Amino acid sequence: GRVKYMKTVAIKMYGAIEACGDNSAASFSQRLAEAQKTADVIELHLHSPGGDVFEGSVIYNAIKDSKKPVHVYIDGMAASMASVIMLAARKIYMAENAFIMIHAPHTFSCGNAVDLENAAHLLRSMEDNFIEAYCARTGKAKEAVAEWLKGDNWFNAKEAWEEKLIDGIVGASDIKINGTEDDLKKTNATALLQRFEAIAKIN
């Protein structure tokens, strides 16, 4: 019999997740829907410092609800909200020179005491959702995963594999992150992205 080849369609999420632009929930959902029309499998190439938690949550749900399986490839970095988005995929693969960074959700909030209490309450419930998602992926206990949300926690490909965050390691990607791994682990994700955003744009 003839071998039927699976048709894969690749889409990219490079850069911050924002309410407008290519990485907004609306734009991403549209690209995902388009890919689903022809793909057997969708490859999502990820290189992001994270960004808007609400936009990211909509993107997470879109991937989760995709009629076609989505496999994530971390080309450079999946940090903050991007490390949650990746969990919605069926499979997660990581370039051997890429990084994952996990921390608690952040927001900018202003207003009176009640407004701030509401914002804190919302962040705590998001934190619980994130912990559940990391637990479901890794099979780890909540207490262990909760530790990952204290401060910025960086994982190279080998560490991510050992922690069962990913399904496999692929060859090195073209994206170069300047500095040693120790430097990276002291740098916040947005500053880090700026270091190699120029390369991401060229690609």
Side-chain angles (χ1 to χ4, degrees), residues 70-122:
V70 178
H71 295 174
V72 157
Y73 288 80
I74 303 166
D75 290 347
M77 149 171 88
S80 189
M81 193 62 206
S83 77
V84 177
I85 283 172
M86 73 180 191
L87 301 174
R90 195 81 59 90
K91 297 274 184 195
I92 305 170
Y93 300 102
M94 187 171 175
E96 61 191 30
N97 56 343
F99 292 90
I100 290 170
M101 190 275 278
I102 295 174
H103 63 191
H106 298 145
T107 189
F108 295 101
S109 201
C110 61
N112 61 28
V114 173
D115 296 330
L116 297 178
E117 279 158 4
N118 287 343
H121 178 74
L122 182 61

Side-chain angles (χ1 to χ4, degrees), residues 77-195:
M77 149 171 88
S80 189
M81 193 62 206
S83 77
V84 177
I85 283 172
M86 73 180 191
L87 301 174
R90 195 81 59 90
K91 297 274 184 195
I92 305 170
Y93 300 102
M94 187 171 175
E96 61 191 30
N97 56 343
F99 292 90
I100 290 170
M101 190 275 278
I102 295 174
H103 63 191
H106 298 145
T107 189
F108 295 101
S109 201
C110 61
N112 61 28
V114 173
D115 296 330
L116 297 178
E117 279 158 4
N118 287 343
H121 178 74
L122 182 61
L123 282 178
R124 286 208 180 87
S125 63
M126 283 185 157
E127 213 167 291
D128 290 341
N129 292 347
F130 292 178
I131 288 171
E132 299 255 325
Y134 292 121
C135 287
R137 168 64 59 173
T138 60
K140 288 189 178 300
K142 278 188 176 178
E143 298 70 36
V145 170
E147 289 300 309
W148 291 348
L149 272 66
K150 294 176 183 170
D152 290 353
N153 291 286
W154 291 89
F155 302 83
N156 62 25
K158 185 171 171 291
E159 291 161 342
W161 167 253
E162 283 165 358
E163 296 290 3
K164 298 187 170 64
L165 279 164
I166 60 173
D167 296 289
I169 298 171
V170 294
S173 84
D174 293 343
I175 293 171
K176 299 284 187 288
I177 304 178
N178 304 325
T180 66
E181 200 166 308
D182 284 346
D183 288 343
L184 294 183
K185 292 184 177 184
K186 296 189 193 89
T187 309
N188 85 30
T190 310
L192 184 61
L193 187 83
Q194 284 159 359
R195 288 197 197 178

Side-chain angles (χ1 to χ4, degrees), residues 52-68:
D52 189 302
V53 186
F54 298 104
E55 293 290 307
S57 296
V58 176
I59 291 169
Y60 175 94
N61 291 336
I63 295 168
K64 203 85 173 147
D65 297 340
S66 171
K67 292 175 188 69
K68 304 290 173 67

Side-chain angles (χ1 to χ4, degrees), residues 16-29:
I17 299 150
E18 294 161 333
C20 51
D22 281 349
N23 296 333
S24 68
S27 170
F28 178 82
S29 301

